[in-house]
Amino acid sequence: MRSNQPQTIYLSEYQVPAYLVDHVDLRFELFEEGARVHSTLSVRRNPDSRAASAPLELDGDSLRLESVALDGAELSAADYEDRGDQLVIASVPEQFELSVVTWIEPQNNTRLEGLYKSSGMFCTQCEAEGFRCITFFPDRPDVMARFRTRIEADKASYPVLLSNGNDVDRGELEGGRHFVTWEDPFPKPCYLFALVAGDLVEKRDTFRTCSGRDIDLRMYVEPRNAEKCDHAMDSLKRSMSWDEEVYGREYDLDIFMIVAVDDFNMGAMENKGLNIFNSSCVLASQDTATDAAFQRIEAIVAHEYFHNWSGNRVTCRDWFQLSLKEGFTVFRDSQFSADMGSPTVKRIEDVTLLRTAQFAEDAGPMAHPVRPASYMEISNFYTLTIYEKGAEVVRMIHNLLGPEMFRKGSDLYFERHDGQAVTTDDFVRAMEDASGRDLTQFRLWYEQAGTPVLNVSDEFDAEQGVYRLNIAQHIPDTPGQSNKKPQHIPFALGLLGSRGEPLPLKLEAGEENAPAERVLELTEASHTFEFHGIGERPVPSLLRHFSAPVRVNYPWSREQLLFLMSHDPDGFNRWDAGQRLAVDVIQSLVGAPKDAAVEPRLVTSYRHLICDSSLDQALVAKMLQLPSEAYLIELADNADAPAIHRARERVLKHLAISLRDELVACYRRNLESGDYEITPEAIARRSLRNTALAWLLVINDEEGRELAVRQFRSADNMTDRMGALRALVNSDYEEDRNLALEEFYQQFREDPQVIEQWFSVQAASDRAGQLPQIHALLEHPAFDWKNPNKVRSVVGAFAGQNLSAFHNPDGSGYDFLAEQVCRLDDSNPQIAARLVTPLTRWRKFAPEYSEQMKAALERIRDKDGLSRDVYEVVHKSLAG
Ligand code: B3K
Ligand code: ZN
């Protein structure tokens, strides 16, 4: 059993491994009642370790040890110590072979770490520390070994047997069993080990690499999903050629495999040559997946594929370095998605996630640097900070160096560290060495937690024709860190004249050919920049393209925001101005009297967006989305979620009533003609018509209702079907809502990925997702506590998206979440710890909410046998 007495692990205590493993020979005997794992390790003392006569310590978790042999001689119980979480052999030679046999029970593994069963197939998840649930091993990423894996199983039930690398042998065994042996020529840490055994269909394709090698591409899915592989396969091929073109990275094995698994704790896993995916992140068809799902799948397939270089060939020295592979790989996949679609829209999506969720994390009790200094449970550190902020940090390096130097830097990094386990500092050093830039101060982005705040003020000196911009930076305190040093912040900006013209940015009087956009580098606590030759007070367009993950405070007037919305040459900032305006309008209505007026200019500007079809429609589709409740809460102090919800609804209804005819016209204008396509234009059309529908139903518009029902029935794709369903579910047309939900269920009841969407559209809705209805969903025959996707689609969607219901002033939403977290803590602590997140934000809310949230956290804290995962999150949230 794993210990529930959590210990804190510190980066400062890192030591190189005392022993290295050169080779691992594994034999799995898979049975219905368990699995026997035979492991033979070729071990030698690490010449770099100073611990000369250290005992050999191997990690283990939930293993039944059957035997241990050293260089072929069976050890007796006196020769080793089985501590449960470690196997310790006090004295070993310089170099030796260790053979260990363990028995495990994949069929009872509900944590979904190590080897487990999902829908009748065996599969693995080893990152971060799951390999120790399979056999005893130095389970740390800086121990890299070559693996040879033989899998034996019943042939009829498990015709497909997969592991990393190339299949080098296969054959029949007695009793209807068979075996396949796999060999992976690349040394890898054990977290990249994978095994799959099941009755799966194989989809094949090929890819010719830049050096002319033909790679066998294979997808393995359950037979019912055979028709849902094309999009992932195409995405894979696009990723492979993109990585060759943009990063010069060629695939290295002869086979690349993807497997879809229904029960999976996260999205996907980059195991060497054998990526394993959550079914919902890889399977798609026009009929079952929304546009958002198609895009997510493309991004995740790319992400896992890109890990082959950024993560697998060059891996992390220790788990504090997680962002080395995750931040860099998210940056890579986001560049890829930008290249495949609309770069501005992709940037808007990334920034929305960052500002809504990562900023909240960075301001909360679990705030940690991109390279944390300590953790209790590493699974809790697969965070938005490590992933998204880590990607922003790499993006800033890219912007500071420019694309060419950045490429030189990444080439140097891959070349210098191929086959090694390294640190974020090694990454930055490669960038420095290739470019000649000094990134000393920049490294603080990896060390200091918290979102920097930039307070910007300005003055215009009409006489001198000088515009002065003062920018002061400040980094808020976070748990364990205060008095932070100023960071190196690239700050892109432009200035607009009164007709919307971009002004040349002359940092010195008389400067010729000054650019209209500059990236200022902030390094001090405060700077003043002077722009010369300015004839009238300009409108500043600040932090263009979101050039750094910071908050910018500048007192834009509503007039100025409207101006930027239509004139800023930077599409991202046009969108951002619209968001700032909408935020301002909604905030001014929180708690205001019912008859308080809604800013009429907001209506005018939205009318312009809806009606002017010469605008970039993909951008318009984004600009029409009002800021989410979660973002509004993130921006608030003493948040009152139901009041924020009501204010946002008021604005939405006011817009919909005022623009009713324009919305109907927009809907009709954007009706599909021709075949279903997944291009940015087609996606924008669907998004616009579904937004129009949603708005019309918010005001109970009869024509809107008819359009929604018709669209729901006649849709030839899931985006439209789901768009209509969501609009009906969020409307007051209760009968239509129930009818649509029932029809939808009957049509898709055999498809778990669609049923997950069906659950979450209800759980996230303030109409269909009040607590009694949530309880009913949990009782539904399609709900399954063992399936993380189902848990996320009901419990996660309720607490994370249905904010007015979750923050019911009577505290029932909090009690509910606490109860579900306690229930899941026993079976799947990783998922339980994730679900706690909304409660950890308790300090953000007004006292009538925060006290009850805190009480709910305390109830979780007091649960018997709390897992290390939940313990860490709850204790850190309550501390201080
Ligand atoms: N590296 C995995 C995440 C593993 C999470 C372990 N708890 C997927 C990814 O980021 O690509
Ligand atoms: Zn990743």
Side-chain angles (χ1 to χ4, degrees):
M1 281 307 293
R2 69 203 266 153
S3 127
N4 286 336
Q5 299 297 315
Q7 272 189 341
T8 300
I9 322 275
Y10 295 94
L11 167 60
S12 57
E13 292 176 1
Y14 172 83
Q15 286 186 345
V16 299
Y19 293 90
L20 302 175
V21 180
D22 292 317
H23 192 267
V24 184
D25 208 309
L26 295 170
R27 181 160 78 93
F28 287 84
E29 296 180 86
L30 303 179
F31 306 102
E32 295 312 308
E33 61 286 359
R36 181 164 290 113
V37 185
H38 307 253
S39 148
T40 298
L41 313 178
S42 314
V43 188
R44 69 188 154 94
R45 192 161 284 164
N46 182 0
D48 295 336
S49 167
R50 271 175 292 163
S53 57
L56 176 74
E57 296 174 339
L58 303 177
D59 304 298
D61 187 347
S62 318
L63 303 172
R64 200 170 85 204
L65 180 61
E66 291 193 340
S67 69
V68 189
L70 205 148
D71 286 330
E74 187 97 2
L75 296 189
S76 73
D79 302 326
Y80 61 84
E81 193 187 342
D82 180 2
R83 295 188 188 153
D85 63 350
Q86 267 190 336
L87 176 67
V88 183
I89 306 179
S91 102
V92 287
E94 282 283 314
Q95 190 156 0
F96 55 96
E97 272 203 348
L98 186 76
S99 300
V100 177
V101 181
T102 47
W103 176 257
I104 53 180
E105 294 185 354
Q107 74 281 8
N108 298 326
N109 179 349
T110 56
R111 278 162 47 193
L112 315 187
E113 286 179 280
L115 180 63
Y116 63 93
K117 279 192 97 172
S118 166
S119 333
M121 72 202 250
F122 287 91
C123 64
T124 53
Q125 172 53 38
C126 294
E127 187 178 358
E129 297 179 337
F131 194 74
R132 63 184 66 184
C133 307
I134 295 175
T135 183
F136 285 103
F137 197 79
D139 190 357
R140 42 187 292 169
D142 55 357
V143 172
M144 299 172 84
R146 285 191 182 80
F147 283 68
R148 184 183 168 93
T149 306
R150 173 174 154 126
I151 311 165
E152 303 175 4
D154 180 74
K155 190 169 183 181
S157 308
Y158 308 100
V160 172
L161 304 175
L162 310 174
S163 190
N164 320 81
N166 304 308
D167 46 338
V168 292
D169 193 14
R170 59 176 63 225
E172 308 291 318
L173 299 167
E174 275 176 17
R177 292 171 68 81
H178 71 146
F179 76 91
V180 180
T181 304
W182 293 82
E183 208 167 79
D184 182 357
F186 292 95
K188 64 170 178 289
C190 64
Y191 84 84
L192 290 172
F193 170 81
L195 174 158
V196 169
D199 186 0
L200 303 168
V201 293
E202 182 185 77
K203 296 297 231 182
R204 281 194 180 227
D205 209 327
T206 56
F207 177 82
R208 175 159 297 178
T209 70
C210 48
S211 74
R213 292 170 41 244
D214 285 317
I215 314 294
D216 226 335
L217 308 179
R218 305 181 190 168
M219 278 184 75
Y220 293 92
V221 299
E222 288 175 52
R224 65 189 164 84
N225 291 322
E227 303 312 312
K228 290 177 161 192
C229 297
D230 291 353
H231 179 63
M233 191 64 100
D234 291 343
S235 303
L236 174 62
K237 288 187 283 183
R238 285 194 291 273
S239 311
M240 295 178 88
S241 40
W242 186 91
D243 213 17
E244 291 183 349
E245 271 162 43
V246 180
Y247 281 86
R249 299 293 115 201
E250 184 182 355
Y251 186 62
D252 47 13
L253 287 162
D254 299 333
I255 315 175
F256 186 85
M257 295 175 280
I258 286 180
V259 181
V261 176
D262 282 350
D263 304 295
F264 209 61
N265 278 348
M266 66 274 171
M269 178 64 211
E270 70 264 25
N271 315 300
K272 183 78 187 185
L274 177 54
N275 289 1
I276 299 183
F277 278 68
N278 185 322
S279 298
S280 72
C281 296
V282 67
L283 302 174
S285 70
Q286 172 177 343
D287 221 29
T288 60
T290 60
D291 292 342
F294 273 97
Q295 289 175 312
R296 188 177 68 229
I297 289 166
E298 182 184 63
I300 299 181
V301 167
H303 179 99
E304 306 311 332
Y305 173 73
F306 296 157
H307 267 315
N308 190 54
W309 277 96
S310 49
N312 301 2
R313 289 288 286 257
V314 182
T315 195
C316 302
R317 186 192 74 173
D318 53 73
W319 293 120
F320 299 100
Q321 318 298 329
L322 183 56
S323 198
L324 173 79
K325 72 179 178 81
E326 296 305 347
F328 187 24
T329 305
V330 171
F331 173 66
R332 278 150 55 68
D333 83 58
S334 123
Q335 284 181 300
F336 166 77
S337 297
D339 284 354
M340 297 299 122
S342 154
T344 305
V345 166
K346 174 63 180 158
R347 190 71 190 127
I348 289 169
E349 287 166 353
D350 287 352
V351 173
T352 302
L353 175 65
L354 190 84
R355 283 209 297 218
T356 306
Q358 195 278 324
F359 281 17
E361 180 172 277
D362 232 353
M366 286 290 288
H368 55 276
V370 169
R371 191 197 60 202
S374 69
Y375 62 78
M376 285 180 183
E377 169 52 61
I378 186 57
S379 299
N380 287 331
F381 283 77
Y382 286 75
T383 60
L384 290 144
T385 300
I386 302 296
Y387 278 67
E388 321 311 317
K389 185 176 182 179
E392 292 296 319
V393 170
V394 176
R395 177 182 296 271
M396 286 189 286
I397 298 179
H398 184 270
N399 289 344
L400 288 169
L401 267 56
E404 278 161 30
M405 280 301 169
F406 183 87
R407 169 66 194 271
K408 270 180 75 179
S410 72
D411 283 351
L412 179 61
Y413 167 73
F414 288 126
E415 186 195 330
R416 191 184 266 177
H417 298 298
D418 190 8
Q420 297 177 3
V422 302
T423 64
T424 56
D425 208 46
D426 292 318
F427 178 81
V428 177
R429 193 166 312 111
M431 290 292 162
E432 287 184 320
D433 291 351
S435 68
R437 277 208 66 146
D438 178 357
L439 297 172
T440 310
Q441 185 185 10
F442 187 86
R443 283 180 170 78
L444 290 171
W445 280 105
Y446 288 95
E447 292 159 29
Q448 298 189 149
T451 306
V453 179
L454 301 184
N455 287 314
V456 183
S457 62
D458 58 356
E459 59 198 37
F460 177 59
D461 182 339
E463 249 167 59
Q464 305 273 324
V466 170
Y467 176 71
R468 265 181 219 102
L469 210 52
N470 309 301
I471 310 178
Q473 65 161 295
H474 151 76
I475 305 166
D477 291 351
T478 45
Q481 284 190 339
S482 48
N483 297 323
K484 296 176 200 184
K485 299 187 192 117
Q487 289 180 187
H488 183 175
I489 301 175
F491 186 81
L493 87 166
L495 299 175
L496 300 190
S498 57
R499 283 172 290 115
E501 74 282 16
L503 303 177
L505 304 180
K506 300 183 188 173
L507 287 170
E508 287 174 30
E511 181 182 339
E512 291 191 16
N513 301 324
E517 177 173 307
R518 280 186 186 274
V519 182
L520 305 175
E521 295 193 20
L522 313 178
T523 52
E524 313 278 328
S526 114
H527 291 261
T528 300
F529 297 94
E530 291 194 343
F531 300 95
H532 298 263
I534 308 278
E536 58 183 339
R537 178 176 274 278
V539 178
S541 160
L542 306 177
L543 200 72
R544 281 191 171 161
H545 354 281
F546 208 71
S547 60
V550 300
R551 296 177 199 260
V552 172
N553 294 324
Y554 173 83
W556 280 287
S557 65
R558 289 187 180 176
E559 201 57 46
Q560 288 178 316
L561 292 173
L562 287 157
F563 178 82
L564 290 171
M565 269 176 90
S566 46
H567 291 105
D568 201 315
D570 179 38
F572 175 83
N573 265 10
R574 273 211 298 285
W575 168 83
D576 193 36
Q579 292 290 296
R580 284 177 188 268
L581 178 65
V583 164
D584 188 29
V585 171
I586 296 170
Q587 280 176 342
S588 69
L589 292 171
V590 176
K594 282 207 165 52
D595 55 356
V598 177
E599 170 64 76
R601 289 172 296 180
L602 189 69
V603 179
T604 324
S605 66
Y606 274 62
R607 174 173 294 121
H608 177 65
L609 289 172
I610 295 173
C611 299
D612 185 348
S613 49
S614 72
L615 300 171
D616 170 359
Q617 296 295 291
L619 181 56
V620 168
K622 286 288 165 201
M623 290 186 80
L624 287 178
Q625 310 297 321
L626 286 184
S628 67
E629 285 172 23
Y631 184 52
L632 291 159
I633 289 174
E634 206 286 310
L635 292 175
D637 291 321
N638 283 314
D640 179 335
I644 289 175
H645 172 79
R646 284 191 298 273
R648 186 180 180 280
E649 283 273 307
R650 263 208 70 205
V651 172
L652 193 56
K653 284 189 175 156
H654 180 78
L655 286 167
I657 289 171
S658 316
L659 301 171
R660 190 261 161 209
D661 293 346
E662 289 87 340
L663 289 167
V664 173
C666 169
Y667 180 86
R668 297 197 186 282
R669 192 175 68 237
N670 284 292
L671 271 179
E672 206 76 66
S673 53
D675 285 347
Y676 174 81
E677 292 179 314
I678 316 175
T679 58
E681 298 73 31
I683 292 172
R685 268 202 306 281
R686 285 189 285 274
S687 166
L688 285 169
R689 70 169 174 265
N690 284 308
T691 301
L693 214 50
W695 288 24
L696 289 167
L697 282 163
V698 163
I699 54 170
N700 304 325
D701 186 88
E702 190 52 33
E703 190 176 351
R705 183 185 74 88
E706 282 165 22
L707 293 172
V709 171
R710 195 175 323 143
Q711 176 173 313
F712 177 72
R713 297 251 159 81
S714 63
D716 71 349
N717 66 82
M718 186 51 90
T719 306
D720 285 330
R721 193 176 295 110
M722 188 46 87
L725 180 67
R726 177 170 292 114
L728 289 166
V729 165
N730 289 326
S731 79
D732 289 329
Y733 296 113
E734 205 177 328
E735 213 182 299
D736 294 296
R737 171 206 307 164
N738 292 334
L739 213 64
L741 282 169
E742 180 57 23
E743 265 180 47
F744 188 98
Y745 180 72
Q746 293 307 336
Q747 191 176 348
F748 293 104
R749 54 187 301 168
E750 303 302 331
D751 189 321
Q753 283 80 59
V754 181
I755 294 307
E756 284 153 21
Q757 302 175 58
W758 180 81
F759 275 124
S760 65
V761 74
Q762 297 175 73
S765 156
D766 64 328
R767 308 292 159 93
Q770 294 297 321
L771 214 40
Q773 295 153 314
I774 298 293
H775 279 293
L777 293 179
L778 295 181
E779 296 300 317
H780 194 281
F783 187 82
D784 175 5
W785 281 104
K786 290 208 213 57
N787 178 253
N789 291 6
K790 300 290 184 304
V791 173
R792 279 187 282 255
S793 63
V794 178
V795 185
F798 170 74
Q801 293 172 52
N802 193 355
L803 299 182
S804 61
F806 175 60
H807 293 282
N808 189 321
D810 67 8
S812 55
Y814 310 146
D815 291 346
F816 169 79
L817 185 59
E819 194 186 322
Q820 310 322 324
V821 167
C822 290
R823 152 179 213 149
L824 277 160
D825 185 57
D826 294 323
S827 55
N828 190 332
Q830 253 185 55
I831 297 295
R834 293 269 146 164
L835 283 182
V836 186
T837 308
L839 286 174
T840 66
R841 307 275 191 260
W842 62 279
R843 280 175 220 266
K844 184 98 208 139
F845 292 85
E848 61 267 41
Y849 302 98
S850 65
E851 280 158 21
Q852 300 192 75
M853 294 172 86
K854 183 169 176 238
L857 278 172
E858 286 164 349
R859 275 200 298 286
I860 302 174
R861 178 197 62 197
D862 296 339
K863 173 190 171 273
D864 282 338
L866 198 62
S867 68
R868 181 166 64 212
D869 309 58
V870 175
Y871 179 101
E872 175 172 36
V873 176
V874 169
H875 279 258
K876 287 185 174 170
S877 303
L878 289 169

